[in-house]
Amino acid sequence: MIKRWRFTLACAVLLGSCPALAQPLYKDPAQPVEKRVADLLARMTLEEKLGQMTQVAVSKLMSDGWGLGPLKGELLERYLVQRGIGSVLSGGGMGPVPNTPRAWAEMTNAIQRAAVEKGRLGIPLLYGVDAVHGHNNVVGATLYPHSLGLAATWNPALVEQVARRVGQELRATGTLWNFAPVADLGRDPRWGRFYETFGEDPLLAGSLVAATVRGLQAGRVAATLKHFTGYGQPLGGTDRSPAFLAPRTLQEVWLPPFRAGLEAGALTVMANSGSLNGVPVHASRYLLTDVLRGQMGFKGVVISDWNDIDKLVGDHKAAAGFADAVAMSINAGVDVYMVPMEVERYLQTLKELVEAGRISRARVDEAAGRVLWLKFQLGLFERPYVEAAEAEKVVEAQRPLAKQAALESVTLLENAAFTLPLTNVKTLLVTGPAATDKTMQMGGWSIDWQGKEGAKAPGATVLEGLQKGAPQGVKVAYADPKDARALAAAVRASDAVVVALGEKPYAENEGNNLTGELPAEQYKLLRDLKALGKPVVLVLLAGRPLAFPDDAWLVPKAILMAYLPGSEAGSALADVLFGRHNPSGRLPFTWPKLFGQVPFTYDRYPDIYPKAEPLYPFGYGLSYTDFTYRLQAARATANAVEVDVEVRNTGKRAGSDVVQLYTRFPPLGLLAPRERLVAFTKVNLEPGQTRTLKLTAPLDRFALVPGDVFSLELPRVLPGRYVLRVGEQTVGVEVR
């Protein structure tokens, strides 16, 4: 009898039919993800599920507070094993000590080992960071131009290439959840996060958001579309202030970049910290469930922003207490709370709400299941660890790619008397606060949150780049702008002056600038240079359009907008200034004449009186060569409008141009935007070369919400005769 039982057991094991000894279904990578999620959920306790809905700051595992240092075993045990926390994040400047790529990999591996090897079910963790312009928390990682500069390239393929490289670096250090890209629009330059956006236009921004998602997720790193939605136009231009958007504006302007990111496969979405139309977004079931999931079909994880459920009580005054805030937010559609410090209070409150029936167990299964789904999608169960020895090799200076991104972003705004390129200069003087301050070219989110540690990033300053990149026989000198006597002498001894001005680094609320002005001493420097009579080239390192007094703005013979170009600012600017690269950047925003005009976008509704005009329009940028257009044909198909455009380089230099197709709306009996970008492409042409391009504009770019402006229906195409514009040429097309 005993022998027969042993034989039966052995056969069961061999056949995989013994429940006690067979591998759990959720650990089998051959099984569909949905089955793995269901199997794992069925094995989990309520507390384990709630842990998956919780994200904690890494400092909590180091000091049980804000202090940084080595991970502590007792804290790993408390939070990762006993509480079952599902994800960890590094806020800006919050990393290992020392801050090296290898140390990052070793830190994430240690955290994973605690969860996988000591946790009851061996569920790996997700580690999140804000890698918004490179793996920017890590000393030694290349920092690329911020999103606003990348938007000025109008080059989705290049942006995808940058994102792909960033994704490789993230995975090498075990940080597989990136809280990027920003899919908000930059439509108010007073806002402290303007430079984190891809500009003011839904089509351009959406194209680059989608490119970023594809690039990051090509290496199985989760992209996060943030901050859903309406975050980018706060009342008064101050960060996290309330926003008020008509439903038609929400549908036509603010949702398309998020929709583009979702169509590209974005796995996660972060909620807006502020309120929209009087309702805090973290408490808005309409936005987080009805719109995001119902209308837009999102299936992934919704995460809060930093501590924002608590803010429903203290800041928004929308909840009477913390328990009400948690119930409100989770029931609205938040799956994971980014709760940096008060994690035990959150878990206890969440459990009590479930036990009291205020949050259903089905909602918990839904939220925890989405987090598990994300982990399966990223392959974490099969590969929870990284090779620490390889991290140093992967996270290395990517100078050619960073330089190409910086080169294509530089936008030539003025070039009086063909001052640029500097081909006849023997002695060039460089001055200005941004010439020697590396943090000003990096901007915020550079090593630390506010960017004050950005000087630790690789790369050269503007001065160093120009000195190293000067042609043979050209002397590049420097003068301290604070030493008026030495500066005047240096100017007199030079043929031309490059003055680098700009903003000190900032992030979020600390970057709000209600006047758009630079410090007064920077304008004074321009006036002093004018009095000395030498040609002045102004280079701006800034995360937004700026306001200049007329007498200061008229000083430079040439003006370059370099945005926040990152590690390779110096070498890229040297190539542009000395003529080795023909600038091709185009403004991704409207540059207002006066900051009293903002918000001031190219697609604003018609001006009645006075007729307001920008200083520089959206899409503007000069070149060292000239291009001409000839519209050849326009036709409407079942799904799009197609336009054939002949582009010719009529100058003597090779160059790149961004061909932009706009529509002007026909009389429809309702208010319409002045214009709307419906297609664009970038083309490289040799001197005298001609190419015929086909620009295809999907019909939804011609859509308007019909009838009542408060209609919540999706946009549809209204028939009529549309006027299409490329440059100064127009052509009509009938849409039936």
Side-chain angles (χ1 to χ4, degrees):
M1 189 71 178
I2 294 175
K3 291 182 180 179
R4 182 177 298 175
W5 177 84
R6 288 176 177 169
F7 177 77
T8 303
L9 178 59
C11 290
V13 172
L14 289 171
L15 294 172
S17 59
C18 179
L21 298 178
Q23 174 178 261
L25 186 149
Y26 76 88
K27 291 189 176 181
D28 182 0
Q31 296 294 325
V33 168
E34 290 74 16
K35 288 187 176 181
R36 298 178 76 182
V37 170
D39 180 69
L40 182 50
L41 277 175
R43 300 169 187 269
M44 296 172 69
T45 65
L46 173 62
E47 290 79 7
E48 288 168 336
K49 294 173 183 177
L50 300 182
Q52 295 300 307
M53 299 168 62
T54 309
Q55 184 174 85
V56 65
V58 72
S59 65
K60 200 68 175 161
L61 308 178
M62 296 172 171
S63 65
D64 209 13
W66 296 104
L68 300 180
L71 298 169
K72 292 184 178 179
E74 64 270 23
L75 297 177
L76 295 175
E77 174 73 23
R78 180 191 305 171
Y79 293 114
L80 306 187
V81 181
Q82 296 175 10
R83 276 53 167 187
I85 300 299
S87 59
V88 178
L89 85 152
S90 282
M94 191 180 287
V97 180
N99 186 341
T100 66
R102 186 185 185 105
W104 275 84
E106 291 171 344
M107 177 183 70
T108 59
N109 278 345
I111 291 171
Q112 289 289 16
R113 276 194 296 272
V116 173
E117 298 173 17
K118 294 184 179 181
R120 186 178 72 89
L121 295 169
I123 302 174
L125 276 132
L126 278 163
Y127 200 104
V129 293
D130 292 88
V132 298
H133 68 131
H135 200 350
N136 47 254
N137 290 290
V138 183
V139 174
T142 300
L143 299 191
Y144 297 89
H146 271 287
S147 293
L148 193 68
L150 291 179
T153 71
W154 291 61
N155 189 342
L158 176 62
V159 172
E160 182 172 345
Q161 189 178 358
V162 169
R164 186 181 296 266
R165 179 61 208 179
V166 174
Q168 292 169 355
E169 296 187 16
L170 289 168
R171 179 164 273 279
T173 55
T175 50
L176 271 62
W177 194 351
N178 189 13
F179 304 129
V182 168
D184 308 307
L185 295 174
R187 295 172 75 86
D188 191 330
R190 298 172 297 181
W191 180 41
R193 305 192 76 165
F194 190 84
Y195 68 86
E196 294 185 55
T197 76
F198 288 114
E200 72 182 42
D201 178 72
L203 176 64
L204 176 61
S207 300
L208 302 181
V209 165
T212 303
V213 170
R214 290 192 298 269
L216 288 171
Q217 296 189 172
R220 299 179 87 175
V221 169
T224 306
L225 305 179
K226 64 182 189 184
H227 311 77
F228 191 83
T229 182
Y231 184 48
Q233 195 153 7
L235 194 66
T238 57
D239 189 44
R240 288 176 168 83
S241 292
F244 294 90
L245 301 171
R248 171 175 164 183
T249 303
L250 178 67
Q251 294 286 348
E252 291 183 9
V253 177
W254 292 94
L255 292 184
F258 285 94
R259 186 175 293 112
L262 295 180
E263 290 173 353
L267 296 171
T268 71
V269 168
M270 182 180 289
N272 174 3
S273 291
S275 65
L276 181 61
N277 297 336
V279 180
V281 174
H282 278 71
S284 175
R285 182 173 175 83
Y286 167 69
L287 287 174
L288 298 182
T289 298
D290 296 347
V291 174
L292 180 60
R293 297 197 184 276
Q295 182 188 118
M296 302 176 75
F298 179 56
K299 305 297 183 185
V301 173
V302 172
I303 185 169
S304 81
D305 206 339
W306 184 276
N307 222 42
D308 272 354
I309 292 180
D310 283 78
K311 293 173 185 174
L312 293 177
V313 183
D315 293 351
H316 295 289
K317 315 296 184 187
F322 183 63
D324 290 336
V326 173
M328 193 179 293
S329 188
I330 298 302
N331 288 328
V334 172
D335 298 314
V336 177
Y337 185 24
M338 184 187 289
V339 51
M341 292 297 141
E342 299 292 333
V343 59
E344 304 225 33
R345 179 184 64 142
Y346 171 64
L347 285 170
Q348 182 61 32
T349 302
L350 191 54
K351 182 179 179 181
E352 291 171 356
L353 289 167
V354 174
E355 291 174 340
R358 294 183 64 187
I359 296 175
S360 71
R361 290 180 182 265
R363 174 70 187 107
V364 170
D365 282 355
E366 181 181 62
R370 287 170 180 158
V371 177
L372 297 174
W373 170 86
L374 177 59
K375 293 179 178 182
F376 285 124
Q377 292 288 345
L378 298 177
L380 268 171
F381 281 82
E382 289 70 54
R383 189 185 168 193
Y385 309 118
V386 295
E387 295 292 335
E390 294 296 314
E392 297 278 1
K393 299 177 183 178
V394 176
V395 184
E396 60 185 7
Q398 296 297 307
R399 296 188 59 184
L401 182 57
K403 182 175 180 178
Q404 185 63 29
L407 281 171
E408 291 198 34
S409 71
V410 174
T411 305
L412 180 61
L413 301 177
E414 299 286 351
N415 197 17
F418 304 103
T419 301
L420 294 179
L422 298 170
T423 54
N424 297 313
V425 171
K426 295 301 180 182
T427 301
L428 178 67
L429 179 67
V430 179
T431 189
T436 56
D437 187 344
K438 195 191 290 186
T439 68
M440 293 177 72
Q441 69 197 50
M442 303 299 177
W445 299 102
S446 300
I447 313 302
D448 66 339
W449 176 41
Q450 290 295 320
K452 296 175 182 177
E453 297 293 320
K456 296 178 181 177
T461 65
V462 173
L463 173 63
E464 292 166 343
L466 292 179
Q467 288 175 331
K468 186 176 180 180
Q472 187 173 3
V474 175
K475 177 185 176 182
V476 177
Y478 171 74
D480 186 342
K482 296 179 181 178
D483 188 337
R485 181 174 297 179
L487 175 64
V491 170
R492 294 188 187 99
S494 67
D495 299 315
V497 180
V498 171
V499 55
L501 305 182
E503 302 177 292
K504 290 288 187 180
Y506 56 82
E508 300 189 15
N509 194 61
E510 286 80 350
N512 296 334
N513 185 339
L514 302 187
T515 65
E517 294 178 348
L518 291 171
E521 60 266 22
Q522 296 198 29
Y523 301 129
K524 181 179 183 301
L525 176 59
L526 281 177
R527 297 183 182 105
D528 291 345
L529 291 173
K530 179 182 181 181
L532 296 169
K534 293 296 176 73
V536 175
V537 176
L538 171 59
V539 173
L540 287 172
L541 300 178
R544 62 182 121 216
L546 297 167
F548 276 76
D550 286 345
D551 63 330
W553 190 250
L554 297 176
V555 171
K557 295 291 186 180
I559 303 174
L560 289 170
M561 178 61 166
Y563 310 91
L564 300 171
S567 298
E568 292 301 307
S571 60
L573 285 166
D575 281 2
V576 172
L577 289 167
F578 294 122
R580 292 187 293 268
H581 178 82
N582 192 343
S584 62
R586 301 292 184 265
L587 291 178
F589 53 77
T590 302
W591 197 307
K593 282 184 179 178
L594 302 171
F595 258 61
Q597 294 174 307
V598 300
F600 188 69
T601 59
Y602 85 95
D603 58 351
R604 64 194 181 278
Y605 291 95
D607 302 310
I608 305 302
Y609 183 83
K611 300 293 185 182
E613 294 298 330
L615 182 63
Y616 301 112
F618 171 80
Y620 172 84
L622 302 176
S623 171
Y624 295 158
T625 189
D626 294 306
F627 300 93
T628 61
Y629 303 127
R630 188 165 69 89
L631 280 167
Q632 295 182 327
R635 53 198 168 274
T637 68
N639 301 310
V641 171
E642 297 177 349
V643 177
D644 296 331
V645 183
E646 181 185 274
V647 187
R648 180 177 177 82
N649 181 348
T650 59
K652 297 180 179 180
R653 287 177 174 266
S656 299
D657 191 28
V658 179
V659 183
Q660 305 162 40
L661 180 66
Y662 295 84
T663 182
R664 294 172 182 164
F665 289 92
L668 298 171
L670 80 164
L671 202 60
R674 299 185 354 152
E675 287 193 319
R676 176 175 288 163
L677 180 71
V678 293
F680 66 89
T681 190
K682 196 165 190 175
V683 60
N684 304 312
L685 296 174
E686 295 296 321
Q689 184 181 5
T690 300
R691 286 184 60 187
T692 298
L693 308 173
K694 179 184 289 185
L695 276 70
T696 301
L699 283 183
D700 61 10
R701 292 297 296 163
F702 295 79
L704 289 171
V705 177
D708 186 354
V709 297
F710 295 103
S711 168
L712 299 181
E713 298 297 321
L714 286 172
R716 67 178 177 84
V717 177
L718 296 180
R721 185 168 180 79
Y722 291 82
V723 176
L724 303 175
R725 177 179 67 83
V726 174
E728 299 302 318
Q729 296 197 23
T730 61
V731 63
V733 63
E734 192 78 21
V735 176
R736 301 181 181 277

